[in-house]
Amino acid sequence: MSVTAAPPNTATRPTLQQAALRKLSGVLQLPPPTTDYVVDRGLRVPMRDGVDLVADHYVPQTTQPAGTLLVRGPYGRGFPFAALFGSVYAARGYHVIVQSVRGTYGSGGEFDPMVHEIEDGADTVAWLREQPWFTGTFGTVGLSYLGFTQWALLADPPPEMKAAVITVGPHDVSGPRWGTGSFGLNDFLGWSDLVARQEDPRRLRVLLRQARAQRLVTRASLGLPLGESSRALLGDGAPWFESWLDHPQADDPFWTKLQLRDALERAEIPVLLLTGWQDLFLEQTLEQYGRLRSRGVTAGLTIGPWTHGHMMTKAAPTVIRESLDWLDAHLADAPAQRSAPVRVHLAGSPDGDGWLDFTDWPPPMPERVLYLQPARRLADTVPEASTAAFVYNPADPTPTVGGRLLSPVGGYRDDTALARRADVLTFTGDPLPTDLFVVGSPVLELSHSCTNPNNDLFVRVSQVDAQGRSRNVSDGYRASAPDTGTVRIELDGVAHTFPAGSRIRVLVAGGSHPRFLRNLGTGEPAVSGTGFATARHTLHLGDATRLILPAGD
């Protein structure tokens, strides 16, 4: 396999690169490469406003290429993106264009997250059509922001686009969407800080800062006013951040270009969606799959035991194998290897394999209803009417422990200490007599009242082992909860086995900080608020306060 150094449009053939690719293929458990390739670097791709974007072209050395792939993202064209999206596919016969989006890594213009991707994607395809090596059709591939750029293309699908592989890719990054009505503070702020500094040539300084990034974000998130505290963290970078805080309404026109729901209605090509049970965009991936399938669009869905950060590490062998299979089937007319539209990992599977195939998601499941009981119990009988209460204090917000975070501290975590906090109500069931399989989205219905109309609700289902240790399974959040009435909260989708002897636990709190923007309780704007007001929450126990599980033995 051959790779260029600078200058553009030249090629070299280092044997070390060949050996590295063979090693990578072995690590990822991929079929062997089929061709050598060269790389033309630094190609200029003109946009309609005169700006040029920079791209690298991975050129397979074959007279019968498998197809063309387009990869657009803001994180550079070097490792690991060069290997996982360039080399892997070029060595198997694909022409691959890896492009840096506007304002990043040499591309002209200013980076304004997500705002220019519809127009710039369309202009890139117009350039692609004119290239003498273009195979006439193309597919797309990529994760996270690289998934958003794919949805941006599908907002007005080019006729040459024939397949897409979207891994943990959102279609809607309007601020409220990140937190089920709440601003996803930890992820928005942490990502902004990371992207603002990623091109700093002082690599050691960048790496040292990344090592303490979560601590810095948590400290900034506790400062007031939040706009000033966040700016102290970001310095001169990420000029967009305060504008995100300034627009809390999902229907604000400010978010128009960051909300691509029309793409779900216009896409007609085969789309493979890959995600993890602990990925921050899980609910969007499930929405994408459901909408495509309801319209009869060919779609595949794979969900593994992964976080967002796992998709290029522990999930990479599965992700790349399934991506290659999908693209080969829909671009190169190869026979598909996929056995079912939906493939999900079952946590705690008793047979040790852990993977299940379904014809659709969610699969039909019976309901198991458990009622929140006095004395902090959880049982399948309706209790006599009573109440349970807690006080949320925004000056000492209930902390985030695990869950669907972009940060490395997310994912499955021991939340025993969280369950013991005074501002958290817990309800724990008896040891299960047999394995209980929960497949789908749990729902928690709460008859609830609060002394403060400015209040939020965070809910969680956890698994408690024989030693009393608790571990998160599924979360839900409701910002601006009504101060009286029944609140219905749909939790994260799961495929989880509660083994015999374990216990199911429900946690209820008034926040989860800094994953979600803390509700100050005063009604002040998030960017400028400086006051605190506590909120006393009361749960009214009875037939209206219950957990509904899509579950069976």
Side-chain angles (χ1 to χ4, degrees):
M1 278 58 66
S2 307
V3 180
T4 66
N9 303 314
T10 61
T12 59
R13 301 175 63 84
T15 56
L16 284 177
Q17 185 71 20
Q18 296 175 0
L21 187 57
R22 287 194 296 269
K23 179 72 172 177
L24 178 64
S25 298
V27 169
L28 297 176
Q29 305 168 38
L30 303 177
T34 60
T35 182
D36 286 352
Y37 66 91
V38 296
V39 185
D40 289 344
R41 300 194 188 279
L43 303 180
R44 314 298 295 188
V45 183
M47 301 293 106
R48 66 189 69 180
D49 61 353
V51 166
D52 283 350
L53 305 188
V54 179
D56 296 340
H57 176 201
Y58 289 73
V59 187
Q61 300 298 279
T62 175
T63 59
Q64 294 182 318
T68 300
L69 299 179
L70 176 60
V71 181
R72 305 187 63 248
Y75 306 121
R77 304 181 308 283
F79 184 84
F81 297 93
L84 298 182
F85 297 120
S87 301
V88 161
Y89 295 100
R92 289 159 180 84
Y94 287 95
H95 285 274
V96 186
I97 288 293
V98 179
Q99 183 188 66
S100 293
V101 302
R102 180 178 294 252
T104 67
Y105 289 89
S107 287
E110 181 178 348
F111 181 57
D112 193 355
M114 283 73 71
V115 169
H116 300 284
E117 303 312 342
I118 293 178
E119 294 86 355
D120 287 355
D123 291 351
T124 300
V125 173
W127 170 85
L128 190 63
R129 291 187 185 109
E130 302 302 318
Q131 304 313 300
W133 47 263
F134 179 47
T135 56
T137 62
F138 73 95
T140 57
V141 65
L143 82 167
S144 195
Y145 195 110
L146 287 68
F148 183 88
T149 61
Q150 295 180 70
W151 287 117
L153 279 173
L154 289 167
D156 185 12
E160 300 89 349
M161 189 174 179
K162 299 301 182 183
V165 177
I166 301 176
T167 302
V168 294
H171 63 275
D172 185 354
V173 282
S174 54
R177 287 284 301 179
W178 282 43
T180 317
S182 176
F183 189 88
L185 179 58
N186 195 85
D187 294 327
F188 263 103
L189 182 56
W191 181 83
S192 295
D193 186 53
L194 171 69
V195 173
R197 302 176 191 277
Q198 66 178 348
E199 295 187 59
D200 190 329
R202 297 164 294 185
R203 299 307 300 161
L204 179 59
R205 177 174 175 173
V206 172
L207 291 172
L208 290 174
R209 185 180 179 87
Q210 288 177 358
R212 55 195 181 101
Q214 184 59 58
R215 186 167 75 250
L216 295 173
V217 168
T218 299
R219 185 172 67 189
S221 70
L222 287 167
L224 292 179
L226 181 59
E228 291 183 12
S229 180
S230 300
R231 182 48 53 193
L233 171 70
L234 298 170
D236 295 332
W240 55 81
F241 185 75
E242 287 87 346
S243 68
W244 287 350
L245 287 177
D246 277 335
H247 296 84
Q249 301 302 319
D251 58 356
D252 190 315
F254 173 83
W255 299 111
T256 298
K257 290 190 176 182
L258 281 69
Q259 190 271 94
L260 304 177
R261 295 186 62 83
D262 285 351
L264 305 188
E265 307 303 321
R266 295 174 181 169
E268 300 291 346
I269 63 170
V271 179
L272 174 62
L273 302 163
L274 300 113
T275 188
W277 292 123
Q278 290 294 304
D279 174 57
L280 73 156
F281 295 125
L282 170 67
E283 85 287 357
Q284 292 203 37
T285 300
L286 293 176
E287 180 183 0
Q288 293 158 12
Y289 178 79
R291 190 64 205 132
L292 293 174
R293 288 282 286 183
S294 72
R295 295 174 44 239
V297 177
T298 299
L301 174 66
T302 296
I303 312 175
W306 309 310
T307 67
H308 198 81
H310 287 152
M311 306 312 290
M312 295 182 74
T313 55
K314 77 183 274 191
T318 298
V319 169
I320 296 179
R321 283 197 307 272
E322 294 199 8
S323 299
L324 272 169
D325 175 55
W326 191 265
L327 294 168
D328 286 349
H330 297 290
L331 290 178
D333 296 323
Q337 302 300 311
R338 193 175 187 89
S339 58
V342 178
R343 183 170 180 260
V344 304
H345 186 271
L346 177 66
S349 174
D351 62 10
D353 179 18
W355 288 95
L356 300 173
D357 286 348
F358 296 115
T359 57
D360 205 354
W361 182 269
M365 292 289 291
E367 281 188 356
R368 175 80 175 269
V369 179
L370 299 173
Y371 295 89
L372 282 60
Q373 309 274 337
R376 305 293 182 88
R377 295 183 59 252
L378 191 66
D380 56 8
T381 57
V382 178
E384 294 185 4
S386 63
T387 61
F390 67 94
V391 175
Y392 175 76
N393 179 8
D396 179 23
T398 313
T400 297
V401 178
R404 296 193 295 115
L405 287 169
L406 184 61
S407 167
V409 302
Y412 297 112
R413 301 286 172 176
D414 186 329
D415 62 9
T416 309
L418 177 66
R420 292 172 178 160
R421 283 182 58 101
D423 57 357
V424 178
L425 288 178
T426 62
F427 301 85
T428 308
D430 294 331
L432 294 168
T434 60
D435 293 344
L436 183 68
F437 300 93
V438 179
V439 182
S441 295
V443 172
L444 190 61
E445 295 178 348
L446 301 174
S447 178
H448 163 262
S449 59
C450 186
T451 57
N452 189 334
N454 300 296
N455 74 91
D456 295 356
L457 284 168
F458 170 74
V459 298
R460 167 173 285 181
V461 172
S462 292
Q463 177 179 306
V464 183
D465 65 19
Q467 289 72 43
R469 291 187 297 266
S470 180
R471 186 177 176 89
N472 59 301
V473 172
S474 179
D475 292 348
Y477 202 88
R478 174 70 180 272
S480 303
D483 53 2
T484 185
T486 299
V487 181
R488 186 180 190 274
I489 302 175
E490 183 172 311
L491 282 71
D492 303 330
V494 297
H496 185 85
T497 303
F498 288 90
S502 68
R503 293 177 290 162
I504 300 171
R505 171 173 286 169
V506 170
L507 293 82
V508 182
S512 179
H513 183 270
R515 179 182 174 188
F516 300 114
L517 179 72
R518 62 175 164 175
N519 193 325
L520 300 178
T522 62
E524 295 175 276
V527 70
S528 58
T530 57
F532 292 126
T534 60
R536 181 178 176 82
H537 295 259
T538 300
L539 301 188
H540 303 272
L541 307 183
D543 61 356
T545 297
R546 59 185 191 158
L547 173 66
I548 305 170
L549 296 174
D553 297 331

